[in-house]
Amino acid sequence: MMETVHVGLGERAYDIHIGPGLLSQAGELIAPLLKRPQVCVVTDENVARLHLESLRAGLASSGVKMEALVLPAGEGTKSWPHFERTVEWLLAEKVERRDLVVALGGGVIGDLTGFAAAVLRRGVGFVQIPTSLLAQVDSSVGGKTGINAPQGKNLIGAFHQPALVLADIDVLGTLTPRDFLAGYGEVVKYGLLGDADFFVWLETKGPALASGDEAARIAAVKRSCEMKAEIVARDETEQGDRALLNLGHTFCHALEAATGYGDRLLHGEGVAIGCALAFELSYRLGLCSQEDPSRVRQHLSEMGMKVDLKDIPGDLPDADALLGLMAQDKKVVDGQLRFILARGIGGAFVTSDVPRETVRNLLAEELSRR
Ligand code: GLY
């Protein structure tokens, strides 16, 4: 049942294992990488309650001992104070250069723990055990690690590839439908950016996938990871093509900033809305047919996801203010906003050549429908 995707990064290459029951197999999967049979695990309170003892048992069955640090759940944990606490705990646990640190959790825990591993003793290895769909298909793969700064999200960090990723499909069963669908926003993104056949498959299989079909979940996580692995192997540090993974994210980051990075709009929900806007913008710029944005929106609606700005509760700033927030995106180069646009479903590309007025008009129209 277990599928494996290889991330071909030379001496930093690693495997992503995807399948059910991987927490209980964690010991046999991790032990070959260990120099001594012990690991330090960083997790959060919610994940610890649901999965920490399964991981402990899975490690113990291969004779691997673990110590755990349980942090508060939520985006606020991706910050200096919790980072300091994590690094100091790992030092107190006497983690050595050749040990592995394990991140058990969603994107917040994965990013924070990966960054702690990147700087501890100038770099120790780490294993990602992502427990959200978003983390399984995106944040646990590719080595982006870091924390948030008061000035913005993910502004402090390092590229540090994991030594192994274990995506246990069973843990997705403990997600709320809203969290699952937010992660699904990133899955759809892969079809939209580079694999039209995958998008067609999702149009058919999406509902079964959301209601728990295990084979469909494994296939979707595998295809997403394959696409991410292929792009990361080509452009590890985002000098070019890796930016394709940011389809929908220029709009998303502005909407997240406008809504306070919280419960009003989850990251994956913002990605889905952002993808719909990116396709609408591509159509308005004459790059793709009118049918493409309609298909994107229809699939997201059929999945019960947020699609439009009007689906975001509460007030939003006006089009100029949203444009101002977009200009703070990390993808800005020489003051020029970079967009990921598409010549059709599966045909995304990176460009700075987007008239500001077209984006402004699109946002203003979308806001007027609220
Ligand atoms: N989440 C986008 C990337 O890893 O590049």
Side-chain angles (χ1 to χ4, degrees), residues 13 18 66 99 121 123 137 146 154 205 232 320 350 361:
I18 302 151
M66 71 168 233
D99 289 330
R121 301 189 192 278
V137 299
N154 297 326
K205 294 280 187 182
V232 166
D320 285 311
V350 186
N361 291 344

Side-chain angles (χ1 to χ4, degrees), residues 138 141 144 189 228 238 242 245-246 249:
D138 184 36
V141 175
K144 280 189 181 174
K189 177 193 82 176
K228 179 145 189 185
E238 201 167 310
R242 185 165 180 163
L245 296 170
N246 292 325
H249 283 62

Side-chain angles (χ1 to χ4, degrees), residues 113-320:
T113 309
F115 184 37
V119 299
L120 191 80
R121 301 189 192 278
R122 298 209 178 91
V124 302
F126 79 115
V127 174
Q128 289 269 21
I129 306 187
T131 57
S132 67
L133 180 57
L134 188 133
Q136 292 194 353
V137 299
D138 184 36
S139 59
S140 70
V141 175
K144 280 189 181 174
T145 72
I147 56 174
N148 301 328
Q151 291 82 353
K153 268 184 76 167
N154 297 326
L155 292 182
I156 304 154
F159 284 100
H160 186 52
Q161 299 291 342
L164 181 70
V165 181
L166 301 181
D168 185 334
I169 293 298
D170 287 340
V171 306
L172 301 179
T174 60
L175 297 177
T176 63
R178 185 178 179 199
D179 281 330
F180 185 89
L181 284 180
Y184 185 78
E186 296 276 4
V187 175
V188 172
K189 177 193 82 176
Y190 288 104
L192 295 178
L193 78 87
D195 187 348
D197 290 343
F198 183 45
F199 182 74
V200 172
W201 184 85
L202 290 170
E203 284 179 314
T204 314
K205 294 280 187 182
L209 208 152
S211 50
D213 182 323
E214 184 177 276
R217 287 183 172 190
I218 294 172
V221 173
K222 181 180 179 213
R223 184 66 194 126
S224 302
C225 288
E226 278 172 354
M227 291 187 68
K228 179 145 189 185
E230 199 261 315
I231 291 172
V232 166
R234 246 184 8 233
D235 178 21
E236 185 179 4
T237 57
E238 201 167 310
Q239 305 304 308
D241 273 5
R242 185 165 180 163
L244 292 173
L245 296 170
N246 292 325
L247 175 64
H249 283 62
T250 308
F251 289 109
C252 169
H253 289 155
L255 295 171
E256 281 186 289
T259 52
Y261 300 102
D263 203 46
R264 270 176 73 196
L265 184 72
L266 304 179
H267 176 70
E269 293 173 335
V271 170
I273 295 174
C275 285
L277 287 170
F279 269 80
E280 180 62 32
L281 182 58
S282 300
Y283 160 64
R284 290 186 182 203
L285 294 169
L287 293 164
C288 67
S289 74
Q290 190 169 20
E291 195 203 337
D292 289 331
S294 305
R295 257 179 86 191
V296 176
R297 295 161 55 89
Q298 183 171 342
H299 179 55
L300 297 175
S301 305
E302 277 171 10
M303 294 297 293
M305 297 169 70
K306 292 186 170 63
V307 184
D308 296 308
L309 297 190
K310 69 173 163 35
D311 299 329
I312 303 171
D315 292 334
L316 284 179
D318 66 17
D320 285 311

